[in-house]
Amino acid sequence: LLYLSILPLKLSEYIYIIYALLIFLLIKNYLLNLRKINLKSSFSYLLIFFVVFFILAIDISNKLNLSWDSKWFWFIKSLYFFQDNTYEQLSGYTYNDFHPHLGSYLWAFFRKISLNQYEYFGRLFYLFIYLGSLMLVSISFFKKNIYNSIIFILLIILNYKYYYFSGLQEIILFSFLIIISKLVFEYINNRNILYLIFIALTLNLILWTKSEGIAFFFITLICINFIKKININHRIKFNLIMMFFLILKITIFKIFDIKLNNQPYYLDYILSLNFDLIIFKILNISAYLFYYSLTNIIFII
């Protein structure tokens, strides 16, 4: 979907192809492989997942108010795609062209494929990937499904706020990072390079979700390179893939004449920092980090 969004194609021109692909995958992955699926285990998780999804979806569709950033930036970007404009036309949105577009595109895409095409149907995908990421990590805590389900529900109770789903992109970043943490855990246990490839693919999505994604991109890249259990051959391949994705984004931005230095961490700003300013920023950031850590029970845990 990311690379479809960059092509000079209108969303309505390939929406039916996506429908056909989804039906094909449904038949291939579930109906033809039904014997391989542990129905008892899968059904209990799926039932809990969709009950929670349905309840929270009602809350989201009932409130409808968008956050400030969503009203001025992300929703406008989603309208570009929903109204059959292309990425090239989106780059003409000069007040916000430098922010990546993936979250807004997903907002437009899932709104478009819904039956009534209400705006909030696009944002329900944010809820879907959020719940999916939390379930992905919670099903591994205990051997018994009931305990894992309790962990999943507790995480939702402690975390959920409507504000996170008011069109903001942070919830998508959060979900992608949760998925990456699970993939890192799986790689350490299995040493299968496929997990590193999936990590790289997910980090690529982070690059295209929000400008701050570049910070998460490099933080995760550095952290993974500190893991001693990663095979040297796998490490080299992983870093090359990551650099390819970074160069690819820069290249696409240049093709569409989007200025990279519009972003809030461009090189000129970094070079202009002096020691006193750095200390001032560290003290202020630390104070706010301490305060907000106390207001978030997940941070405290």
Side-chain angles (χ1 to χ4, degrees):
L1 288 177
L2 168 62
Y3 293 113
L4 275 175
S5 70
I6 297 169
L7 295 176
L9 295 172
K10 296 178 180 179
L11 189 53
S12 60
E13 290 177 344
Y14 57 84
I15 201 77
Y16 293 106
I17 298 174
I18 298 294
Y19 271 128
L21 179 62
L22 290 174
I23 293 170
F24 169 76
L25 290 174
L26 177 68
I27 294 171
K28 178 182 179 297
N29 292 335
Y30 294 98
L31 300 183
L32 297 182
N33 295 314
L34 199 57
R35 293 180 181 179
K36 299 178 183 178
I37 299 174
N38 186 336
L39 283 178
K40 185 178 179 181
S41 173
S42 301
F43 180 76
S44 61
Y45 281 131
L46 285 172
L47 179 62
I48 291 168
F49 180 92
F50 282 107
V51 167
V52 173
F53 178 83
F54 182 73
I55 292 169
L56 298 184
I58 290 175
D59 182 57
I60 291 172
S61 60
N62 181 54
K63 292 178 179 173
L64 294 179
N65 54 300
L66 301 179
S67 65
W68 190 91
D69 282 354
S70 305
K71 290 175 183 176
W72 289 98
F73 303 127
W74 307 116
F75 181 54
I76 295 173
K77 280 177 177 280
S78 76
L79 284 176
Y80 268 81
F81 290 109
F82 182 76
Q83 296 173 352
D84 276 342
N85 292 296
T86 63
Y87 184 69
E88 183 177 9
Q89 292 166 301
L90 180 64
S91 65
Y93 182 23
T94 54
Y95 294 105
N96 195 244
D97 61 337
F98 55 91
H99 276 302
H101 69 287
L102 179 60
S104 294
Y105 173 77
L106 294 173
W107 188 344
F109 177 84
F110 286 98
R111 178 186 179 183
K112 198 82 167 178
I113 67 171
S114 65
L115 295 177
N116 52 28
Q117 298 189 352
Y118 290 152
E119 168 276 320
Y120 62 84
F121 270 86
R123 286 186 290 123
L124 290 184
F125 176 74
Y126 295 7
L127 174 65
F128 186 88
I129 197 166
Y130 164 75
L131 294 180
S133 66
L134 291 183
M135 176 156 278
L136 186 67
V137 294
S138 63
I139 61 176
S140 305
F141 280 100
F142 302 101
K143 290 183 178 179
K144 290 189 176 181
N145 293 353
I146 184 65
Y147 297 144
N148 292 329
S149 299
I150 291 172
I151 292 289
F152 172 68
I153 293 171
L154 281 175
L155 287 172
I156 302 302
I157 292 171
L158 294 173
N159 263 301
Y160 177 80
K161 290 181 182 178
Y162 169 78
Y163 179 72
Y164 300 151
F165 302 93
S166 60
L168 295 172
Q169 306 301 291
E170 282 78 4
I171 197 66
I172 306 178
L173 292 178
F174 173 81
S175 303
F176 286 156
L177 289 169
I178 290 289
I179 292 168
I180 288 170
S181 71
K182 173 69 172 178
L183 292 171
V184 170
F185 178 78
E186 292 296 336
Y187 176 83
I188 291 172
N189 286 330
N190 300 293
R191 309 292 179 86
N192 188 334
I193 194 173
L194 279 176
Y195 289 112
L196 288 179
I197 293 173
F198 286 131
I199 290 169
L201 290 169
T202 309
L203 281 169
N204 181 46
L205 297 181
I206 285 177
L207 277 179
W208 288 96
T209 302
K210 208 167 186 285
S211 294
E212 289 82 350
I214 190 72
F216 292 109
F217 181 91
F218 279 115
I219 290 170
T220 308
L221 178 62
I222 292 167
C223 289
I224 289 175
N225 275 283
F226 272 109
I227 298 174
K228 294 180 181 179
K229 293 185 178 181
I230 295 182
N231 178 291
I232 186 65
N233 186 40
H234 290 179
R235 190 187 304 273
I236 293 170
K237 290 178 180 177
F238 174 72
N239 285 314
L240 288 174
I241 294 172
M242 297 288 277
M243 289 304 104
F244 167 77
F245 283 137
L246 184 60
I247 293 169
L248 180 62
K249 180 190 173 182
I250 293 171
T251 302
I252 291 172
F253 267 45
K254 287 187 177 296
I255 290 173
F256 289 98
D257 197 27
I258 299 173
K259 296 179 180 178
L260 285 169
N261 64 0
N262 278 347
Q263 309 218 19
Y265 34 77
Y266 57 92
L267 190 59
D268 291 345
Y269 168 76
I270 295 171
L271 294 176
S272 69
L273 292 174
N274 56 52
F275 181 76
D276 291 338
L277 186 58
I278 291 172
I279 295 299
F280 172 79
K281 287 180 176 291
I282 289 174
L283 290 174
N284 277 273
I285 290 170
S286 300
Y288 280 104
L289 180 62
F290 177 75
Y291 170 75
Y292 283 109
S293 295
L294 294 178
T295 65
N296 189 319
I297 193 168
I298 298 299
F299 283 171
I300 296 171
I301 293 170

